[in-house]
Amino acid sequence: MDQFYIIALSISLTLVSIIILFIKKPTSSKSPPLPPGPRGLPIVGYLPYIGKNLLVQFTELAHKYGPIYKLHLGHKLWVVVSSPSITKEVVRDNDLIFANRAVSIGLRVATYGGSGVVWSPNEPGWRLMRKIFVHEMISPSSLEASYNLRKDVVRKTIRNIHHNKIGKAIQMRDLCFLTVLNIVINLMWGGTIEGEEGERIVTEFNIVVEKLLDLTGKGNISDFFPFLAGLDLQGVKRNMERHVECMDKMFDAVIDLYQQRFNGKGIEQGRKDLLQLLLKHKEDNKDDSETGLTLQQFRVMMMDFIAGGTSAQSTAIEWAMAELLKNPEILAKVQQELSDVVGDNNIVEESHMSKLKYMEAVFKESLRLHPAIPFLIPRSPIESSIIGGYTIPKRTTVFVNVWSIQRDPSIWENPLEFRPERFLDKNQNLDYSGNNFNYFPFGSGRRMCAGMPLAERMSFYILASLLHSFEWRLPEGEQLDMAERFGIVLRKTKPLVALPTPRLSDSNLYA
Ligand code: HEM
């Protein structure tokens, strides 16, 4: 953000000499005012004061200005919501008005003009993609049918650790990312690409996704001053275009492979991987331009899966592992439960998951303290509306600060303490179905996470397998650093490194 500051400040200084009086739009005496918020400088508004850690900054601003406040940033108006009741007004009571996303210039490039399930506006194309995603791709029956694909990947990870990494420092982020990415890619194209070619593609995706995520987390002056967008001062658009081009090539290679199979043999009955479903849908609707999916929609749905799903997912697992290493007594309880439910002469299966109640509570507690997407994905109202007694103009960028709500001491007892037991209390109704506005790490309303059932299965299964198969410890002399690095996805500033040793005595269980 430093470069960002310098540019923002220099624009401010240049323009300050030609300040024109801000002309406030006369508001009708009946319409409520805009939310309160800090005063910024002329022209640039609050931009020069935006720091690196928006999590803390947004939370501190809420303490000062209340649960809904505004920030003028150049030409943009941001509104930040930080209370359960106002969140409900946005994502539930006015769901339809707030069902569009605020898409930055960089993301617009990355998603072919803001398309795909994550970034499309609430239009028929989005509804169709979301329907395919939720009701076909990851429906309960498809998830059951694809279990073997997940199992293959997870067992391969366990085998690889056992054969090559015992006693060695492992970067948990890379391990989780590659495992999740392999699962997601297998789900997308049904495990068709295997062996060296598969590994090469996964590695390439890993590199490009990291770069894309870094770019999306970077403040872009063009977003705040649209008249400067053509100059692309920080090169965000150019860099994004380059990475997207790489991603496109990888996707196209995979789609080609599938097209050949599709043209040659027709759709394979019973297969439910993303490419089969999309190609089938495209074929079924080939004369219907209203509902037929375009090649770009194919690509961008793959991007949703890979860039969105994989990074949020692997981050969530890394945080849970970090909390367990920080709290050895809780780790011991998880492993005891695994011994009781799975047994130490057995391997973990997804069918064990529903019985691992304590581990489920650990995962939920970890998502409470470290929600993978800390401000949800920003919304943008399609019309001016009144929220929390204030006017929110059309096209405002609205952030819901789930991170601060889930740490709010007026809601949570000792909120900074990692205490999974709070999720074992049945009276609390603390699930993440989006109906409880004290706890909603997957969001809420019609734009809630579309991948939640898959995310839940993958997280439990991967965590359970890692913890059942190995003991984990930090490298000698290493301190656990729980600092958070702000971005769309909340990553650890310092990746977690841990050393595994086998926990099971029968080496066949690692074969
Ligand atoms: C622990 C892992 C995950 C977490 C915490 C998470 C969280 C979220 C959140 C907070 C949103 C925005 C919701 C809102 O605006 O109300 C979201 C959207 C979304 N997520 Fe996830 N997610 C996870 C994993 C996944 C996975 C594995 C996939 C797919 C493979 C996925 C696919 C999506 C999609 C497609 C959307 C956009 C939905 C829409 O706009 O209609 N997510 N996720």
Side-chain angles (χ1 to χ4, degrees):
M1 206 46 125
D2 293 348
Q3 189 191 359
F4 182 59
Y5 271 150
I6 296 164
I7 296 169
L9 274 171
S10 49
I11 289 177
S12 172
L13 291 173
T14 318
L15 296 181
V16 106
S17 54
I18 51 162
I19 287 171
I20 311 155
L21 278 178
F22 274 140
I23 303 162
K24 275 197 169 177
K25 274 193 188 160
T27 44
S28 104
S29 56
K30 279 191 198 142
S31 59
L34 293 176
R39 290 180 77 86
L41 298 176
I43 315 289
V44 287
Y46 200 68
L47 262 183
Y49 306 111
I50 289 286
K52 275 188 181 161
N53 191 341
L54 281 191
L55 294 167
V56 173
Q57 192 174 15
F58 275 14
T59 305
E60 282 170 2
L61 285 169
H63 291 150
K64 196 159 174 198
Y65 296 100
I68 176 164
Y69 61 86
K70 69 162 186 312
L71 298 171
H72 281 290
L73 301 162
H75 284 218
K76 277 262 181 285
L77 181 65
W78 283 8
V79 163
V80 183
V81 167
S82 334
S83 82
S85 62
I86 299 184
T87 299
K88 179 172 171 288
E89 282 187 53
V90 172
V91 300
R92 177 63 57 85
D93 305 344
N94 294 283
D95 192 12
L96 206 55
I97 296 177
F98 286 86
N100 280 6
R101 301 290 190 198
V103 190
S104 66
I105 290 176
L107 279 164
R108 208 168 281 287
V109 174
T111 60
Y112 311 93
S115 52
V117 187
V118 183
W119 298 100
S120 282
N122 174 20
E123 286 169 357
W126 168 73
R127 286 195 285 276
L128 173 68
M129 284 184 281
R130 187 162 169 127
K131 199 171 124 211
I132 294 178
F133 200 94
V134 174
H135 296 297
E136 299 196 59
M137 202 36 232
I138 59 167
S139 69
S141 60
S142 308
L143 285 180
E144 278 307 316
S146 56
Y147 170 50
N148 279 337
L149 291 177
R150 290 190 290 285
K151 184 172 172 180
D152 280 354
V153 173
V154 172
R155 294 315 305 168
K156 199 169 154 195
T157 298
I158 298 295
R159 198 165 49 243
N160 186 26
I161 297 173
H162 186 255
H163 292 359
N164 304 314
K165 309 271 173 161
I166 293 301
K168 295 187 187 154
I170 297 184
Q171 275 236 12
M172 296 309 289
R173 172 178 300 170
D174 288 352
L175 179 83
C176 298
F177 190 92
L178 285 181
T179 307
V180 174
L181 188 62
N182 267 308
I183 292 181
V184 164
I185 286 181
N186 266 351
L187 282 176
M188 280 195 323
W189 55 69
T192 357
I193 300 180
E194 286 177 339
E196 272 178 28
E197 193 188 0
E199 274 171 27
R200 183 184 53 77
I201 291 183
V202 168
T203 312
E204 282 174 17
F205 271 129
N206 189 2
I207 296 169
V208 178
V209 168
E210 278 287 310
K211 287 183 179 159
L212 282 174
L213 277 179
D214 281 345
L215 271 180
T216 50
K218 195 171 168 181
N220 183 1
I221 201 84
S222 307
D223 283 319
F224 304 109
F225 298 99
F227 58 89
L228 293 176
L231 300 176
D232 189 23
L233 289 170
Q234 292 147 285
V236 172
K237 187 165 171 274
R238 274 192 308 281
N239 282 327
M240 200 60 112
E241 279 165 354
R242 225 163 18 89
H243 298 320
V244 170
E245 212 180 296
C246 291
M247 200 82 142
D248 275 355
K249 284 195 183 133
M250 293 186 244
F251 286 150
D252 286 350
V254 176
I255 290 175
D256 274 356
L257 209 116
Y258 246 74
Q259 298 268 25
Q260 284 164 21
R261 166 187 290 220
F262 180 64
N263 292 334
K265 291 202 249 159
I267 295 163
E268 288 178 37
Q269 289 304 317
R271 287 187 68 107
K272 291 276 179 150
D273 52 83
L274 180 68
L275 283 166
Q276 281 278 324
L277 288 170
L278 293 182
L279 288 170
K280 177 171 185 316
H281 195 85
K282 197 166 177 238
E283 180 69 5
D284 291 349
N285 294 285
K286 59 184 168 209
D287 297 328
D288 181 354
S289 57
E290 281 292 300
T291 55
L293 289 169
T294 63
L295 181 66
Q296 286 202 350
Q297 282 170 315
F298 273 66
R299 285 180 178 151
V300 86
M301 275 185 84
M302 289 202 266
M303 184 91 96
D304 286 339
F305 243 75
I306 290 189
T310 308
S311 49
Q313 180 71 61
S314 48
T315 296
I317 301 175
E318 186 189 16
W319 278 114
M321 285 293 286
E323 285 292 357
L324 287 171
L325 285 174
K326 190 173 159 219
N327 296 280
E329 70 297 349
I330 296 177
L331 173 58
K333 279 194 196 175
V334 173
Q335 289 183 316
Q336 185 57 53
E337 184 183 57
L338 284 162
S339 293
D340 294 344
V341 172
V342 179
D344 291 342
N345 284 317
N346 198 3
I347 60 167
V348 177
E349 304 277 354
E350 263 187 13
S351 55
H352 293 119
M353 297 306 120
S354 61
K355 297 187 197 115
L356 296 168
K357 295 292 177 207
Y358 192 71
M359 204 194 64
E360 179 182 337
V362 164
F363 183 65
K364 286 181 170 168
E365 175 70 339
S366 182
L367 275 181
R368 179 185 70 80
L369 277 172
H370 314 286
I373 305 188
F375 296 155
L376 303 188
I377 301 176
R379 314 279 182 110
S380 174
I382 50 170
E383 60 188 56
S384 180
S385 58
I386 295 171
I387 298 289
Y390 298 104
T391 296
I392 309 295
K394 184 176 171 179
R395 283 200 283 272
T396 301
T397 298
V398 179
F399 295 93
V400 176
N401 192 344
V402 60
W403 183 85
S404 79
I405 292 174
Q406 294 185 170
R407 292 171 170 231
D408 185 339
S410 70
I411 302 173
W412 303 89
E413 202 184 307
N414 298 325
L416 300 186
E417 201 179 293
F418 187 76
R419 195 153 52 82
E421 283 70 16
R422 49 180 119 228
F423 286 90
L424 294 174
D425 180 354
K426 289 210 168 60
N427 301 324
Q428 295 273 342
N429 183 27
L430 281 175
D431 62 27
Y432 33 53
S433 58
N435 294 314
N436 183 330
F437 295 97
N438 292 343
Y439 180 70
F440 50 103
F442 289 95
S444 177
R446 77 186 61 208
R447 297 310 292 248
M448 171 171 186
C449 177
M452 196 180 81
L454 172 63
E456 192 175 32
R457 276 184 191 241
M458 277 199 284
S459 311
F460 289 7
Y461 185 41
I462 295 172
L463 259 180
S465 300
L466 292 174
L467 296 170
H468 179 258
S469 301
F470 303 102
E471 302 289 357
W472 295 90
R473 65 184 163 83
L474 296 176
E476 213 53 51
E478 180 96 10
Q479 292 294 317
L480 199 51
D481 182 345
M482 301 295 273
E484 294 157 319
R485 176 166 146 212
F486 176 73
I488 282 196
V489 174
L490 184 65
R491 287 175 284 174
K492 272 181 99 274
T493 305
K494 195 168 167 220
L496 174 66
V497 174
L499 277 69
T501 46
R503 184 172 169 271
L504 309 173
S505 48
D506 181 355
S507 59
N508 291 323
L509 296 172
Y510 298 95

Short mmCIF file of all heavy atoms in Angstrom, two decimals, residues 386-409:
data_model
loop_
_atom_site.label_atom_id
_atom_site.label_comp_id
_atom_site.label_asym_id
_atom_site.label_seq_id
_atom_site.Cartn_x
_atom_site.Cartn_y
_atom_site.Cartn_z
N ILE A 386 -32.36 2.61 2.81
CA ILE A 386 -32.11 3.10 4.18
C ILE A 386 -31.75 1.92 5.06
O ILE A 386 -32.50 0.95 5.18
CB ILE A 386 -33.36 3.83 4.70
CG1 ILE A 386 -33.56 5.07 3.84
CG2 ILE A 386 -33.18 4.25 6.17
CD1 ILE A 386 -34.82 5.79 4.05
N ILE A 387 -30.56 2.01 5.63
CA ILE A 387 -30.04 0.92 6.47
C ILE A 387 -29.58 1.53 7.79
O ILE A 387 -28.82 2.51 7.79
CB ILE A 387 -28.83 0.22 5.78
CG1 ILE A 387 -29.24 -0.40 4.44
CG2 ILE A 387 -28.17 -0.81 6.69
CD1 ILE A 387 -30.12 -1.62 4.51
N GLY A 388 -30.02 0.95 8.89
CA GLY A 388 -29.60 1.44 10.22
C GLY A 388 -30.00 2.89 10.43
O GLY A 388 -29.34 3.60 11.20
N GLY A 389 -31.02 3.34 9.70
CA GLY A 389 -31.47 4.73 9.85
C GLY A 389 -30.71 5.72 8.98
O GLY A 389 -30.93 6.93 9.07
N TYR A 390 -29.82 5.23 8.12
CA TYR A 390 -29.04 6.13 7.25
C TYR A 390 -29.29 5.79 5.78
O TYR A 390 -29.64 4.65 5.44
CB TYR A 390 -27.54 5.99 7.53
CG TYR A 390 -27.16 6.37 8.92
CD1 TYR A 390 -26.88 5.40 9.87
CD2 TYR A 390 -27.10 7.72 9.30
CE1 TYR A 390 -26.54 5.74 11.17
CE2 TYR A 390 -26.75 8.07 10.60
CZ TYR A 390 -26.47 7.07 11.53
OH TYR A 390 -26.14 7.43 12.81
N THR A 391 -29.03 6.77 4.93
CA THR A 391 -29.18 6.53 3.50
C THR A 391 -27.90 5.88 2.94
O THR A 391 -26.80 6.37 3.20
CB THR A 391 -29.43 7.86 2.76
OG1 THR A 391 -30.67 8.38 3.23
CG2 THR A 391 -29.51 7.66 1.25
N ILE A 392 -28.08 4.82 2.21
CA ILE A 392 -26.94 4.20 1.50
C ILE A 392 -27.23 4.39 0.01
O ILE A 392 -28.13 3.76 -0.55
CB ILE A 392 -26.83 2.68 1.79
CG1 ILE A 392 -26.86 2.39 3.29
CG2 ILE A 392 -25.57 2.09 1.14
CD1 ILE A 392 -25.70 2.94 4.05
N PRO A 393 -26.48 5.29 -0.63
CA PRO A 393 -26.77 5.55 -2.05
C PRO A 393 -26.50 4.32 -2.93
O PRO A 393 -25.70 3.45 -2.58
CB PRO A 393 -25.80 6.68 -2.41
CG PRO A 393 -25.30 7.21 -1.11
CD PRO A 393 -25.39 6.10 -0.12
N LYS A 394 -27.20 4.33 -4.07
CA LYS A 394 -26.98 3.30 -5.10
C LYS A 394 -25.48 3.18 -5.40
O LYS A 394 -24.78 4.21 -5.43
CB LYS A 394 -27.74 3.78 -6.33
CG LYS A 394 -27.76 2.87 -7.50
CD LYS A 394 -28.65 3.51 -8.56
CE LYS A 394 -28.56 2.76 -9.86
NZ LYS A 394 -29.42 3.32 -10.90
N ARG A 395 -25.01 1.97 -5.63
CA ARG A 395 -23.63 1.67 -6.04
C ARG A 395 -22.55 1.96 -4.99
O ARG A 395 -21.36 1.97 -5.29
CB ARG A 395 -23.26 2.37 -7.35
CG ARG A 395 -23.86 1.66 -8.56
CD ARG A 395 -23.14 2.03 -9.84
NE ARG A 395 -23.54 3.34 -10.30
CZ ARG A 395 -24.57 3.55 -11.10
NH1 ARG A 395 -25.30 2.55 -11.51
NH2 ARG A 395 -24.88 4.77 -11.48
N THR A 396 -22.96 2.20 -3.74
CA THR A 396 -21.96 2.29 -2.66
C THR A 396 -21.28 0.91 -2.54
O THR A 396 -21.91 -0.11 -2.82
CB THR A 396 -22.68 2.61 -1.32
OG1 THR A 396 -23.37 3.83 -1.48
CG2 THR A 396 -21.71 2.69 -0.16
N THR A 397 -20.01 0.90 -2.12
CA THR A 397 -19.37 -0.39 -1.83
C THR A 397 -19.60 -0.71 -0.36
O THR A 397 -19.20 0.07 0.51
CB THR A 397 -17.85 -0.30 -2.11
OG1 THR A 397 -17.69 -0.01 -3.51
CG2 THR A 397 -17.14 -1.60 -1.78
N VAL A 398 -20.27 -1.83 -0.09
CA VAL A 398 -20.65 -2.14 1.29
C VAL A 398 -19.85 -3.35 1.79
O VAL A 398 -19.90 -4.43 1.19
CB VAL A 398 -22.16 -2.44 1.39
CG1 VAL A 398 -22.55 -2.79 2.82
CG2 VAL A 398 -22.96 -1.23 0.90
N PHE A 399 -19.13 -3.14 2.89
CA PHE A 399 -18.37 -4.22 3.51
C PHE A 399 -19.10 -4.65 4.79
O PHE A 399 -19.52 -3.79 5.57
CB PHE A 399 -16.98 -3.76 3.91
CG PHE A 399 -16.10 -3.38 2.76
CD1 PHE A 399 -16.04 -2.06 2.32
CD2 PHE A 399 -15.34 -4.33 2.11
CE1 PHE A 399 -15.23 -1.70 1.25
CE2 PHE A 399 -14.53 -3.99 1.04
CZ PHE A 399 -14.48 -2.67 0.61
N VAL A 400 -19.20 -5.95 4.99
CA VAL A 400 -19.75 -6.45 6.25
C VAL A 400 -18.58 -7.03 7.04
O VAL A 400 -17.95 -8.00 6.60
CB VAL A 400 -20.83 -7.53 5.99
CG1 VAL A 400 -21.31 -8.09 7.31
CG2 VAL A 400 -21.99 -6.93 5.20
N ASN A 401 -18.29 -6.42 8.18
CA ASN A 401 -17.09 -6.81 8.93
C ASN A 401 -17.39 -8.00 9.85
O ASN A 401 -17.55 -7.86 11.06
CB ASN A 401 -16.60 -5.59 9.74
CG ASN A 401 -15.21 -5.80 10.31
OD1 ASN A 401 -14.73 -6.94 10.36
ND2 ASN A 401 -14.57 -4.74 10.75
N VAL A 402 -17.44 -9.17 9.23
CA VAL A 402 -17.74 -10.38 10.00
C VAL A 402 -16.60 -10.66 11.00
O VAL A 402 -16.82 -11.16 12.10
CB VAL A 402 -18.02 -11.58 9.05
CG1 VAL A 402 -16.87 -11.89 8.17
CG2 VAL A 402 -18.42 -12.83 9.80
N TRP A 403 -15.39 -10.28 10.64
CA TRP A 403 -14.23 -10.47 11.53
C TRP A 403 -14.46 -9.80 12.87
O TRP A 403 -14.27 -10.40 13.92
CB TRP A 403 -12.99 -9.90 10.83
CG TRP A 403 -11.70 -10.08 11.57
CD1 TRP A 403 -10.88 -11.16 11.53
CD2 TRP A 403 -11.05 -9.13 12.43
NE1 TRP A 403 -9.77 -10.95 12.31
CE2 TRP A 403 -9.85 -9.71 12.87
CE3 TRP A 403 -11.36 -7.85 12.88
CZ2 TRP A 403 -8.96 -9.07 13.74
CZ3 TRP A 403 -10.48 -7.20 13.74
CH2 TRP A 403 -9.30 -7.80 14.17
N SER A 404 -14.92 -8.53 12.86
CA SER A 404 -15.08 -7.84 14.14
C SER A 404 -16.33 -8.31 14.87
O SER A 404 -16.34 -8.39 16.10
CB SER A 404 -15.07 -6.31 13.96
OG SER A 404 -16.30 -5.86 13.52
N ILE A 405 -17.40 -8.67 14.13
CA ILE A 405 -18.61 -9.16 14.82
C ILE A 405 -18.28 -10.46 15.57
O ILE A 405 -18.70 -10.67 16.70
CB ILE A 405 -19.75 -9.40 13.80
CG1 ILE A 405 -20.22 -8.05 13.23
CG2 ILE A 405 -20.92 -10.16 14.43
CD1 ILE A 405 -21.23 -8.14 12.11
N GLN A 406 -17.47 -11.31 14.94
CA GLN A 406 -17.15 -12.60 15.57
C GLN A 406 -16.13 -12.48 16.70
O GLN A 406 -15.79 -13.48 17.33
CB GLN A 406 -16.70 -13.59 14.49
CG GLN A 406 -17.85 -13.93 13.54
CD GLN A 406 -17.56 -14.99 12.50
OE1 GLN A 406 -18.47 -15.43 11.84
NE2 GLN A 406 -16.30 -15.38 12.30
N ARG A 407 -15.63 -11.26 16.93
CA ARG A 407 -14.73 -11.02 18.06
C ARG A 407 -15.30 -9.97 19.01
O ARG A 407 -14.57 -9.43 19.84
CB ARG A 407 -13.39 -10.47 17.56
CG ARG A 407 -12.60 -11.45 16.78
CD ARG A 407 -11.40 -10.82 16.13
NE ARG A 407 -10.58 -11.88 15.60
CZ ARG A 407 -9.28 -12.00 15.82
NH1 ARG A 407 -8.64 -11.10 16.52
NH2 ARG A 407 -8.61 -13.02 15.32
N ASP A 408 -16.56 -9.65 18.84
CA ASP A 408 -17.14 -8.55 19.60
C ASP A 408 -17.38 -8.99 21.06
O ASP A 408 -18.13 -9.93 21.31
CB ASP A 408 -18.47 -8.16 18.92
CG ASP A 408 -19.10 -6.95 19.57
OD1 ASP A 408 -18.77 -6.66 20.73
OD2 ASP A 408 -19.94 -6.31 18.91
N PRO A 409 -16.74 -8.30 22.03
CA PRO A 409 -16.89 -8.73 23.43
C PRO A 409 -18.31 -8.59 23.96
O PRO A 409 -18.66 -9.21 24.96
CB PRO A 409 -15.92 -7.82 24.20
CG PRO A 409 -15.56 -6.73 23.27
CD PRO A 409 -15.85 -7.17 21.87
#
